[in-house]
């Protein structure tokens, strides 16, 4: 069934595919695995509905078993973990094709020491398309323009339809540039222990896997209400994406000094002073900042663990925006309270992860699937998927309904599946 571009843009993925039939009506499946309540649907659809599939693969996770709105990307990561765990028992790991390793670099603005940390990731999470305050101002401007136009149209024709509100438009290249751009985080340096400076933090990719999930977060914290809302923005994503600008080093470069923690420096300094017969001088502790409970709520609503959220708020003096940036620029989490051993020079250049097998310089990817969210709210709505077949045609998957897509809304995706060329 072919959907016109006008229908697809007017209500992106509504129920206009009600009469689409299964692609293979002769295929059979094991019905015993499905919930009993869903067996009646098999008389019409010989297969598992998306809801039944979700329930089947959400066993052991109370959040995904509930009927509340779920995050599609979180569920995909949950499904990936389950597949990896189950297939590992059979000596297979197809998810290795998605193995992504990122590098987080931070450099003190005062002592200029550098620390690299390599981390295995499931998803390449890009920054939000716009800063929250900028988006709020631009959205208000577009809403006012649409209201003025509606008022003028109503005077000329009382039966005139409402004017569709414009959306801000952002190129994908600006998100990639923002991903690798250094970001200033004001906090105490763990090496020189100075409070007047901070870190320049940046991220890049250490490898380019065969398949890559690229997410564009569209949620933001309203600066006036501290509520999570949806950022309704067009992001121009081409069907072929070059990620060459995201490549970067994963270890210390020539001329860079490693950034050791202040506790490590105290251990070394104390050892040297003890060897000279002197006692180590204890560094004065900075006053502890109390965590603001209201500021803590938006961080927890984003899925940030409470210890990490409280640590970030203390370091950033309860500034929510800075605390969010601080969490994502410090994926290692708060420092452990356990005694710190003297650092080993050989281990200071990386996090000792085993090297990946990919050494290819191929950085171009083709978009072969995308998932998008319908709805004005970040906590309610509906997800649909567009999939590109080998013949180059795009198809829309809306629950049990499947149809051919004439013009795929590439600029409205929540996350994309990329295949390396």
């Amino acid at each position: 069934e072919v959907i016109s571009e006008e229908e697809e843009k007017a209500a992106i993925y509504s129920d206009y595919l009600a009469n689409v039939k299964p692609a293979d009506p002769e295929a059979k499946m094991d019905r015993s695995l499905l919930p009993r309540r869903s067996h009646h649907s098999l008389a019409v659809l010989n297969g598992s509905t998306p809801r039944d599939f979700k329930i089947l693969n959400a066993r052991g996770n109370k959040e995904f078993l509930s009927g509340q709105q779920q995050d599609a990307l979180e569920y995909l990561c949950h499904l990936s973990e389950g597949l990896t765990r189950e297939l590992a028992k059979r000596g297979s790991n197809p998810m290795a094709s998605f193995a992504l390793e990122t590098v987080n670099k931070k450099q003190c603005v005062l002592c200029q020491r550098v620390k690299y940390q390599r981390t295995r990731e499931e998803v390449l999470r890009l920054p939000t398309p716009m800063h929250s305050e900028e988006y709020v101002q631009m959205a208000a401007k577009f809403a006012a323009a649409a209201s003025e136009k509606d008022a003028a149209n109503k005077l000329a024709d009382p039966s005139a339809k409402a004017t569709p509100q414009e959306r801000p438009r952002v190129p994908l290249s600006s998100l990639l540039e923002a991903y690798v751009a250094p970001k200033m985080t004001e906090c105490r340096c763990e090496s020189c222990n100075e409070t007047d400076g901070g870190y320049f933090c940046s991220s890049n990719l250490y490898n380019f896997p065969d398949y890559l999930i690229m997410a564009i977060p569209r949620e933001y914290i309203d600066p006036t209400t501290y509520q999570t809302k949806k950022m309704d923005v067009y992001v121009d994503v081409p069907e072929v994406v070059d990620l060459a600008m995201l490549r970067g080093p994963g270890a210390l470069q020539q001329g860079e000094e490693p950034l050791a923690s202040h506790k490590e420096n105290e251990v070394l300094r104390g050892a040297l002073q003890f060897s000279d017969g002197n006692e180590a001088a204890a560094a004065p502790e900075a006053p502890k900042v109390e965590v603001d409970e209201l500021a803590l709520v938006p961080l927890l609503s984003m899925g940030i663990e409470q210890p990490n959220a409280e640590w970030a708020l203390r370091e950033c003096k309860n500034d929510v925006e800075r605390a969010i940036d601080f969490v994502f620029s410090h994926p290692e989490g708060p420092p452990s309270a356990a005694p710190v051993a003297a650092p080993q020079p050989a281990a200071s250049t990386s996090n000792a992860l085993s090297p990946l097998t990919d050494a290819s310089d191929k950085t171009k990817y083709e978009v072969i699937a995308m998932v998008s969210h319908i709805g004005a709210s970040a906590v309610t709505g509906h997800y649909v998927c567009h999939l590109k077949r080998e013949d180059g045609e795009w198809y829309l998957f809306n629950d049990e309904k499947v149809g051919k897509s004439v013009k795929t809304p590439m600029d409205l995706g929540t996350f994309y599946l990329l295949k390396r060329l």
Side-chain angles (χ1 to χ4, degrees), residues 93-104:
N93 184 18
M95 303 309 295
S97 298
F98 291 82
L100 173 68
E101 193 169 0
T102 62
V103 178
N104 298 298

Side-chain angles (χ1 to χ4, degrees), residues 78-257:
H78 169 77
L79 180 62
S80 171
E81 292 175 1
L83 286 172
T84 302
R85 183 172 57 253
E86 293 299 323
L87 293 176
K89 301 176 183 177
R90 309 178 189 179
S92 174
N93 184 18
M95 303 309 295
S97 298
F98 291 82
L100 173 68
E101 193 169 0
T102 62
V103 178
N104 298 298
K105 173 186 176 181
K106 60 181 181 181
Q107 182 174 24
C108 177
V109 299
L110 296 178
C111 67
Q112 296 297 309
R113 295 187 178 95
V114 182
K115 182 177 182 180
Y116 291 88
Q117 182 172 13
R118 299 213 308 263
T119 309
R120 292 289 175 87
E121 302 282 358
E122 295 177 321
V123 178
L124 171 60
R125 301 176 188 269
L126 298 180
T128 52
M130 303 177 67
H131 191 275
S132 58
E133 295 181 357
E134 180 186 6
Y135 171 75
V136 170
Q137 294 175 1
M138 189 169 292
K141 179 181 178 181
F142 285 149
S147 298
E148 292 179 3
K149 193 170 183 179
D150 283 341
N153 291 340
K154 288 291 183 181
L155 291 176
D157 182 6
S159 62
K161 295 182 179 180
T163 303
Q165 184 175 329
E166 294 185 35
R167 294 181 176 133
R169 184 173 293 276
V170 178
L172 177 64
S173 58
S174 66
L175 273 66
L176 300 179
E177 292 171 359
Y179 181 85
V180 298
K183 305 167 187 64
M184 176 63 181
T185 302
E186 296 180 3
C187 60
R188 181 190 299 272
C189 175
E190 62 186 79
S191 182
C192 62
N193 205 35
E194 294 291 338
T195 58
D196 296 333
Y199 296 124
F200 281 122
C201 302
S202 61
S203 301
N204 58 267
L205 301 189
Y206 187 69
N207 77 308
F208 295 86
D210 294 335
Y211 292 90
L212 180 65
I213 300 172
M214 181 181 70
I216 299 178
R218 296 177 179 272
E219 298 82 22
Y220 71 99
I221 304 296
D222 190 311
T224 58
T225 63
Y226 283 161
Q227 293 181 343
T228 303
K229 295 186 177 181
K230 181 179 178 180
M231 188 175 289
D232 200 6
V233 177
Y234 289 121
V235 179
D236 293 326
V237 178
E239 291 198 32
V240 177
V241 180
D242 191 350
L243 302 179
M245 71 169 66
L246 303 188
R247 182 187 290 278
L252 288 175
Q253 303 298 294
Q254 185 175 5
E256 293 180 339
E257 295 183 17

Side-chain angles (χ1 to χ4, degrees), residues 49-87:
T49 65
R51 178 174 177 79
D52 294 334
F53 181 82
K54 170 189 168 183
I55 293 175
L56 180 65
N57 290 280
R59 289 174 296 182
N61 188 304
K62 295 182 180 179
E63 180 180 355
F64 291 124
L65 282 172
S66 69
Q68 298 179 352
Q69 169 74 45
Q70 309 295 333
D71 184 89
L73 184 59
E74 289 182 6
Y75 178 72
L76 179 62
C77 293
H78 169 77
L79 180 62
S80 171
E81 292 175 1
L83 286 172
T84 302
R85 183 172 57 253
E86 293 299 323
L87 293 176

